[in-house]
Amino acid sequence: MMLSRVADSLYWMSRYLERAEHTARMIDVHLNLMLDQPADATDLRWRRVLSTLGQVSEGTEAEAYRAVQAMAFDTANRSSIVSCIIGARENARQVRELISSDMWEQLNRLFHEVKRSGIEDVWESQPLEFLQAIKQGIYLFQGITNSTLAHGEGWQFIRAGRYVERAYATAILLDVHFKEFAPGIEKPLASEHLEWVGLLRSCTAFAAYCHVYTADLRPDRIVEFLLLNEEFPHSICFAVNSLQDALESIADITTIRRGARVSKLAGRLRATLSFGQIDEIMAGGLHAYLGDVMHQCDQIHASIHHVYISYAVEAALA
């Protein structure tokens, strides 16, 4: 059985990198949206982005420069891109002997990339290039991990960390966006069209959505795609399915009997999504439904920590 500290480090390494990639993607999308919308919509949009990432803007304004500084470079913010990559590297360092050399080298390159960058330099030159480098660096790390690390218990903890983070982040994103625009099932207003495009692009989903529904942007179809689609990697359903698969594999590999309880929690959430119908979800209240998804993600995270990381010795021996 894998040591609890190893499982914890691999799990959090993966969560931090997923969070950094998600944040970089959000900033990238909304910087691009600034080019197509009037300046008076900027502060409102950045306040929404900060709320989506679990952060609160100071004062009444959240203009782009300050928002990007807080989300990308502020080391006092534990969810900023820099803080997440530092946290991922530190967790990887603690299990250096158990990950591949290629994984360590790629994460180290990413670490030095963000450490030598600052808001002043990036903002005055090419902020979009910096964000693209972060996203591509994390994609590369994930590909290297899948190609060079044995697909055993450690790899499954990496998958679990990635997908619990992805499911939770996407649920928050949907909740914040839909609460602000309070949509029905009709087509959005022309003034809101770019906001719905931005939501899809924030999940790398615009092209995939158009392949399923064409370019007909309807709020109910957007939430159905990002919530219930089983094939798209950034949908909540896909993330939860992958999370349960990882937890079932861990339970099969380990000798901890209580591991089955963790996978059952994920299985319950998976069933909730698999049998969900978009008309019933919207009629019953999307905010409450997404709140329940986030609550169940919190339960799964707490159960992973309790069963595999902070368990008592007596429980392991039993």
Side-chain angles (χ1 to χ4, degrees), residues 191-204:
S191 60
E192 297 177 355
H193 180 82
L194 282 177
E195 300 295 350
W196 296 103
V197 172
L199 173 61
L200 288 168
R201 287 181 174 164
S202 294
C203 299
T204 69

Side-chain angles (χ1 to χ4, degrees), residues 20-41:
E21 189 271 328
H22 177 75
T23 302
R25 187 166 8 99
M26 291 287 294
I27 298 172
D28 185 18
V29 167
H30 287 82
L31 284 176
N32 276 292
L33 283 178
M34 287 177 62
L35 303 176
D36 299 313
Q37 289 191 318
D40 57 5

Side-chain angles (χ1 to χ4, degrees), residues 65-175:
Y65 180 91
R66 292 199 305 162
V68 173
Q69 195 279 331
M71 292 185 290
F73 298 103
D74 186 2
T75 54
N77 174 11
R78 296 181 61 186
S79 293
S80 70
I81 293 173
V82 171
S83 294
C84 285
I85 292 177
I86 291 173
R89 180 181 181 270
E90 177 58 24
N91 277 280
R93 186 190 63 78
Q94 294 178 23
V95 291
R96 174 68 184 85
E97 70 283 2
L98 297 176
I99 63 175
S100 70
S101 297
D102 289 334
M103 290 171 64
W104 173 252
E105 290 169 5
Q106 173 57 24
L107 186 50
N108 219 30
R109 278 194 293 269
L110 193 59
F111 168 79
H112 289 293
E113 174 74 23
V114 300
K115 286 292 288 182
R116 66 169 173 260
S117 302
I119 183 63
E120 295 84 3
D121 298 330
V122 170
W123 193 258
E124 294 299 328
S125 56
Q126 294 293 334
L128 298 181
E129 289 184 6
F130 169 78
L131 296 167
Q132 188 70 8
I134 297 301
K135 292 187 294 179
Q136 290 181 349
I138 294 172
Y139 296 152
L140 181 56
F141 178 84
Q142 292 171 345
I144 290 171
T145 300
N146 290 339
S147 299
T148 64
L149 187 67
H151 288 199
E153 189 179 352
W155 184 75
Q156 298 295 354
F157 273 107
I158 291 173
R159 290 184 71 214
R162 178 188 308 150
Y163 287 115
V164 74
E165 180 71 28
R166 184 174 298 181
Y168 196 92
T170 306
I172 294 177
L173 177 60
L174 283 172
D175 190 36

